[in-house]
Amino acid sequence: MYQPDFTDILLNVDLLARGAWITIALWAIAFAFGLAVGLGLGLVRSSGNRWLSLPAAAYVEVFRNTPVLVQLVWFYYAFPVLTGWQMSGFTAAALGLALNTSAYCAEIYRGGIASIARGQWEAGRALGMGWARLMRRIILPQAVRRMIPAFTNRGIELGKMTAIASVIAVHELMYEARLLSSQTFRPLEVFTVIAVIYFIVIYPGTLLSYRIEARMARRS
Amino acid sequence: MTEAPLLRTEALVKRFGDLTVLDGIDLAVQPGERIAILGSSGSGKSTLLRCLNFMELPTAGRVHFHGAPVGTAGSRGEVRYRERDLADLRRRIGMVFQQFNLFPHMTALENVMEGPRTVLGQPRAAAEAAARAELARVGLADRGDAYPARLSGGQQQRVAIARALAMQPEVLLFDEPTSSLDPELVGEVLRVIRALAEEGRTMLLVTHELGFAYHFATRVLFLHDGRILEDGPPERILKTPREERLQQFLARFTEFGF
Amino acid sequence: MEYQWDFSVVARHLPLLLEGLAQTLRLSLAAIAGGLAIGLVLALMRLSGRRWLAWPAIAVIEFFRATPPLVHLFWVFYALPILIGVNLSPFAAAMLALSVQSGAFFAEVYRAGIVSVERGQWEGARAIGMRPAQVMRRVVLPLALRRMVPPFVERAFELVKTTALAATLAYGELLYQAMVAVSRSYRPLEIYSAVAVIFFLVLFGASLVMRRIEDRLRRVER
């Protein structure tokens, strides 16, 4: 019978805590960036201008149709060859995750904007509003509310994705866990604890999304 | 009335949370009776019908079918219902819904065959022949291959009636069968129901069509707040109502008459 | 200094990469099959209306949806053998981890599909005397499955992308073979770009095909 032993984990708690901070920093940077860039892309996709919309669509499809691990590996190993700029693992991970998230967010913005009834556009235009003002004053305020559940889900997915950064040597939570596991030969304890930590950090987001969805269902 | 009632309810109560929808219903249905159930919305008339084939489980009281109580009583008086017993009961009690509830992934013919095939285990050829006969009876012999989405509301409801008839039920329950139809489609459904009435079938009909109830029914019930306020032959109930509530109810139907 | 592109290195390693792609698809199909089976069981448990069945299913679903797939992979490959006393091959570990992980998501697709079937359909089926299993098999599942196809496809695509994580267990799928090719050729830009292109062609091409199939399915019901 295997005797679990958690002392090594307890002794290295500071290591895991540091990893958790880097995980959170990675998440926050990528999410903020992804939301902002995604808005621009989503507006371009909704503009009806084919010359703008097509490249944006290509960008979105490339990031949505390739594995995020491939994206991170590409930004860490291949991108510097192209640009001559050797990034740290953290920068490459932040960049890859941010661009990936921006592609998904662009689709959320586009879908939300498209879900607004045509009558709203007509009512705005009947008041003499132009495209930009209509978007800002009428369409986006209504659409953003409908997008919140999808953004919440995106945040959860991104939180899980940050673990992949360990592959390109970002010292976040998963990296520290792998290190600890190989040093202590206690993979069962280490990876179980790590799974629980991720769950504790991410599950409140899931609960939040349930509350938001329930509230929206009640309103409609 | 010497025959045993086909269906009988005994102090039937149905509550949804704090709301009491049926408040002690005692009703006996004799074979061959055609009962029209009237009442304003919220009176419990649909719930009463739905308790008879256990689409809703009664909160208290019993339903007897052919003199035998449905479900088994526990030690503290509570009644337990096994879904397979209820399924066996429902194959003998047909129901037609306000919203038709046809299966959209099956053609009209397949809808009618579904019960005999799946529930009664009839061979395909026999079930199909019977289903075609039922479709012919409701005047849709030529629409057997159509999917419900391709049929008008009136046609869908007639298929739904054929689907219920295909099980050779001993009682037919109609839950506002024409309430979701466009006015010009109501007639074709009512004509089918009248034809069934002329065969002497036992039927219960929840309806707002007072004229039809008058000609169709052998007996009329008026429900209010979950109780039976009036019960008698259509002539007396509809022409000389005693209860004030019923008089008000009937007056609403004549308010904009011409 | 201008970078000198050399795509012959991709051509030279193409057999290796295609072998990797075959392994990617093999792992994907195995995990999709496993995930669909596990998901159906979890969904039926959750919808059973019995607490002792529903709660464990909810726990599994919620846990696997709120933790990173990479952690599942490492746990199954490194930790599970300690518990069961049997070492797992990278393929077995990846397939098991991804099956349960995707099963948790598939379960929610099944459940949403089943719940989306209108009450009238359940009642129509029960009113002609069908038993619960018959109602499910003859009416609810056929209707629900049609509505489940788009979310199932979406989930399956997510799963194909997630199989790239198996490279971290040294399973010879596409990304892993690319890493091997890079270590031999020192040409990360060409090879990793080629990998991205291969994934894109497979996934985007498949999504175009699936979109057409979904359109046709929708037309059948109308």
Side-chain angles (χ1 to χ4, degrees), chain B residues 28 32 56 77 114 137 151 153 194 204 207 212 228 233 256:
Chain B
E56 309 283 356
E114 183 59 22
R137 190 214 293 263
L151 298 173
R194 187 178 60 198
L204 286 89
T207 188
F212 185 74
I228 299 177
F256 294 108

Side-chain angles (χ1 to χ4, degrees), chain A residues 53-220:
Chain A
S53 181
L54 228 70
Y59 171 95
V60 167
E61 294 299 345
V62 165
F63 277 97
R64 279 162 34 110
N65 284 291
T66 46
V68 65
L69 177 56
V70 171
Q71 292 161 19
L72 295 198
V73 165
W74 193 88
F75 277 106
Y76 189 56
Y77 293 107
F79 193 57
V81 176
L82 192 63
T83 58
W85 171 38
Q86 185 56 55
M87 292 180 276
S88 70
F90 184 87
T91 310
L95 185 61
L97 292 175
L99 297 185
N100 178 285
T101 301
S102 74
Y104 281 93
C105 287
E107 280 303 278
I108 297 171
Y109 283 113
R110 191 181 68 90
I113 290 168
S115 79
I116 301 299
R118 225 183 51 178
Q120 293 295 310
W121 287 91
E122 293 177 349
R125 235 175 275 136
L127 291 175
M129 289 188 185
W131 188 88
R133 175 171 309 215
L134 228 163
M135 190 58 93
R136 207 176 62 241
R137 299 283 309 159
I138 311 292
I139 305 301
L140 275 180
Q142 301 181 58
V144 163
R145 198 169 297 168
R146 296 182 194 183
M147 299 172 196
I148 287 171
F151 284 138
T152 314
N153 279 334
R154 210 58 241 159
I156 293 168
E157 288 302 314
L158 177 60
K160 294 190 282 174
M161 274 184 198
T162 56
I164 296 173
S166 66
V167 177
I168 54 172
V170 179
H171 293 205
E172 45 66 79
L173 187 55
M174 186 65 187
Y175 180 88
E176 303 294 7
R178 291 165 72 171
L179 196 68
L180 202 56
S181 163
S182 62
Q183 285 172 353
T184 61
F185 301 104
R186 290 277 175 192
L188 178 60
E189 292 85 342
V190 170
F191 288 124
T192 303
V193 166
I194 283 305
V196 170
I197 292 176
Y198 272 113
F199 182 76
I200 290 171
V201 174
I202 293 175
Y203 194 61
T206 310
L207 292 179
L208 178 69
S209 76
Y210 289 159
R211 282 188 58 174
I212 293 171
E213 275 164 31
R215 190 192 302 169
M216 297 194 118
R218 239 178 296 133
R219 202 178 298 160
S220 64

